[in-house]
Amino acid sequence: MYKILSPDGGGSWSLLQLLSLNERYPGFSGHQVLREYDLVIANSGGSIVLAALAEDWLLSKALSLFEDETIRKSIFSKNKFMDRFFPADYTRLFGNFGPKYSTEKKGVAFQRLFPEIDKRQMFELPEFIGNDDLKIVVCTYDALNNRAKFFKSYDAKTGEAPVDSIKLTEAIHGSSNAPIQYFDFPARIEPKQEEPFELWDGALGGFNNPVMAGIIEAIKLGIPKNEISVVSLGTGNKLMSTEDKGQFFHVKERAKEERRKKLRLFKLKYQLKYFVKSVLNQAKTILYEPPDWANYIAMMFLFEAIPEEPSTRFIRLSPMVHIDESTPAEVVDLLKALYKLDMDLTEDEEIEIIKKCFEAWKNGAIKNQPIAFKIDNENNLHCVCGYKSYQEVMEKWKQPDELASHV
């Protein structure tokens, strides 16, 4: 089998990916994990996880990327008032609106955190990792040309170093550069043989979950579809709660009712609320994507139908942040807390909530994300295809037949 590892974006929620990898490969170093796969494709937070693996950190050490407050705050380095640009320097004074972190300081943090891979171009990494055939892909968004941009460790046509070759630290800098609510400027990257790039998070190109792009890359390399197996690692998938749906509808209706009362300042409250909710919702949709499309399309592409039984050739591992009538009472408060968390978690108490999420997911109290599912009128989730529990996924992931190591 040609094995693909595909970690999604998701900021600090990528801790879930490292916790899962540590469960699957206890005691492994990053290079040992990467030797288990033929192709790794990552975006944003998942690309930072990839960097730790390529740097050859032990998985137990890699957890510090999100557990260590100093490291977290070096990646999410807040701009002071004088460092912000207009109008973000003023809009943040009146609410949580506009970019708040320094792109420049994030780039410096990656150089300091990952010195070995910062010495090498991406095409040099497979030899460094000890898996010469490994293909590495990082998703970004090219702001100057308004298109998705993949940086690769290979050129499929020539077999030589890509003309746009850069360092993995540079690629993850662009890939993790979420705009609007997070980082202030695009990441400027200067390949040796091409014009400079100005990069945003790969989610803007539709690749927050890059699994489908990974499969296409394998097909381009000549791998038959029936020989491809995929492990897709998510960072938690939020479905809007019944409470949030009701609140959004209420705010929208009040804004519609009061939109003509422009001179009554006290009547502007709901119009402002709706504006902020609408803009932020759309911005985060760009970054998170609807949580099922990439997996569903990838499954249909590989199997050309919805399989009657889930296949170990396609494993999706990500907790569902969703409350319905089947949710155990003991995790309702935890799920409500998870609903409130953004992806830029810098405080220890926020990281502890993610760890509690992992334990509840691992123990079966929080559902795993199916590859295809439906939501009924009562907001209940129904699995159409895929594995419904963490333990079921982990059991299948460990099976030695279809997903056996090729090394």
Side-chain angles (χ1 to χ4, degrees):
M1 281 293 166
Y2 190 87
K3 297 172 59 180
I4 298 173
L5 179 65
S6 174
D8 293 7
S12 301
W13 290 64
S14 294
L15 174 61
L16 294 166
Q17 297 170 336
L18 285 168
L19 290 166
S20 299
L21 284 167
N22 198 41
E23 286 279 325
R24 173 63 182 86
Y25 302 109
F28 274 39
S29 70
H31 286 188
Q32 286 177 299
V33 173
L34 292 175
R35 290 176 197 141
E36 294 284 316
Y37 294 91
D38 299 283
L39 187 149
V40 182
I41 183 166
N43 183 61
S44 198
S47 74
I48 302 174
V49 169
L50 168 60
L53 300 180
E55 187 72 11
D56 204 25
W57 287 10
L58 289 172
L59 288 173
S60 55
K61 177 184 176 181
L63 294 171
S64 68
L65 279 170
F66 305 106
E67 290 182 335
D68 187 313
E69 184 179 24
T70 301
I71 294 177
R72 289 196 309 272
K73 290 188 175 181
S74 71
I75 297 172
F76 294 105
S77 180
K78 281 193 175 180
N79 283 324
K80 296 179 181 178
F81 176 78
M82 295 304 294
D83 295 324
R84 300 175 194 151
F85 62 88
F86 179 85
D89 47 0
Y90 292 104
T91 57
R92 294 209 67 81
L93 293 176
F94 299 101
N96 189 30
F97 193 78
K100 52 190 168 183
Y101 301 115
S102 168
T103 298
E104 183 179 356
K105 290 179 181 177
K106 173 166 63 72
V108 172
F110 288 149
Q111 292 173 342
R112 179 181 57 79
L113 285 167
F114 307 120
E116 289 303 316
I117 61 173
D118 193 53
K119 296 174 185 175
R120 297 168 169 85
Q121 297 286 300
M122 283 181 66
F123 72 86
E124 298 175 301
L125 290 179
E127 181 181 4
F128 174 59
I129 291 165
N131 182 1
D132 289 349
D133 294 325
L134 178 66
K135 305 293 187 291
I136 299 172
V137 185
V138 175
C139 307
T140 71
Y141 186 80
D142 177 356
L144 298 181
N145 294 299
N146 290 323
R147 60 171 190 149
K149 171 65 183 174
F150 295 171
F151 288 98
K152 306 175 187 179
S153 63
Y154 61 97
D155 185 318
K157 291 183 179 180
T158 66
E160 300 176 356
V163 295
D164 58 0
S165 180
I166 63 175
K167 300 173 184 177
L168 185 57
T169 45
E170 295 173 319
I172 69 168
H173 183 33
S175 183
S176 62
N177 207 39
I180 305 172
Q181 279 294 95
Y182 307 101
F183 292 96
D184 50 7
F185 296 105
R188 185 174 178 83
I189 305 298
E190 300 182 3
K192 291 184 177 179
Q193 300 181 50
E194 279 203 349
E195 293 297 312
F197 290 97
E198 299 279 347
L199 301 174
W200 290 119
D201 192 304
L204 271 70
F207 297 102
N208 193 56
N209 177 346
V211 64
M212 188 64 214
I215 291 171
I216 294 297
E217 285 296 314
I219 297 293
K220 286 164 60 179
L221 291 165
I223 309 300
K225 286 195 292 186
N226 62 359
E227 294 181 13
I228 295 173
S229 67
V230 179
V231 176
S232 175
L233 300 181
T235 54
N237 296 84
K238 290 183 184 181
L239 300 183
M240 190 177 285
S241 68
T242 302
E243 180 181 345
D244 286 343
K245 289 178 181 178
Q247 185 183 36
F248 184 86
F249 179 76
H250 173 68
V251 170
K252 185 196 77 170
E253 291 302 302
R254 287 292 298 270
K256 286 170 67 177
E257 289 172 10
E258 298 174 1
R259 59 187 160 175
R260 297 185 183 278
K261 300 173 182 178
K262 302 183 186 298
L263 299 180
R264 301 182 188 180
L265 296 181
F266 65 93
K267 290 289 187 181
L268 299 180
K269 171 184 173 183
Y270 283 99
Q271 295 176 65
L272 180 60
K273 268 190 173 184
Y274 175 70
F275 174 77
V276 172
K277 278 181 175 291
S278 181
V279 170
L280 294 186
N281 186 55
Q282 291 170 44
K284 290 177 182 179
T285 296
I286 293 169
L287 293 169
Y288 287 119
E289 302 176 25
D292 56 348
W293 84 265
N295 296 304
Y296 180 75
I297 298 299
M299 177 190 69
M300 294 300 294
F301 185 80
L302 283 182
F303 299 103
E304 299 180 3
I306 297 177
E308 291 186 10
E309 295 293 330
S311 171
T312 53
R313 282 182 54 214
F314 196 143
I315 284 176
R316 173 64 172 175
L317 195 60
S318 187
M320 291 297 293
V321 180
H322 180 65
I323 299 171
D324 63 19
E325 61 184 18
S326 67
T327 303
E330 64 269 20
V331 295
V332 169
D333 287 342
L334 171 60
L335 287 165
K336 287 181 178 179
L338 289 165
Y339 269 125
K340 296 176 182 177
L341 294 184
D342 208 333
M343 67 180 194
D344 54 329
L345 311 180
T346 56
E347 302 302 325
D348 286 338
E349 53 268 29
E350 295 172 324
I351 295 299
E352 286 304 312
I353 294 173
I354 298 297
K355 288 183 179 179
K356 289 178 182 177
C357 170
F358 177 77
E359 290 301 319
W361 175 39
K362 177 180 170 182
N363 296 330
I366 291 178
K367 295 183 182 74
N368 186 61
Q369 183 202 346
I371 291 173
F373 59 88
K374 295 179 179 178
I375 303 294
D376 65 24
N377 290 337
E378 303 300 320
N379 213 34
N380 294 311
L381 184 149
H382 302 278
C383 177
V384 175
C385 179
Y387 298 107
K388 294 180 281 187
S389 73
Y390 175 94
Q391 289 298 343
E392 190 179 16
V393 178
M394 194 58 67
E395 178 185 328
K396 299 298 181 183
W397 193 3
K398 291 179 179 178
Q399 285 185 359
D401 49 355
E402 287 186 284
L403 291 179
S405 170
H406 68 285
V407 178

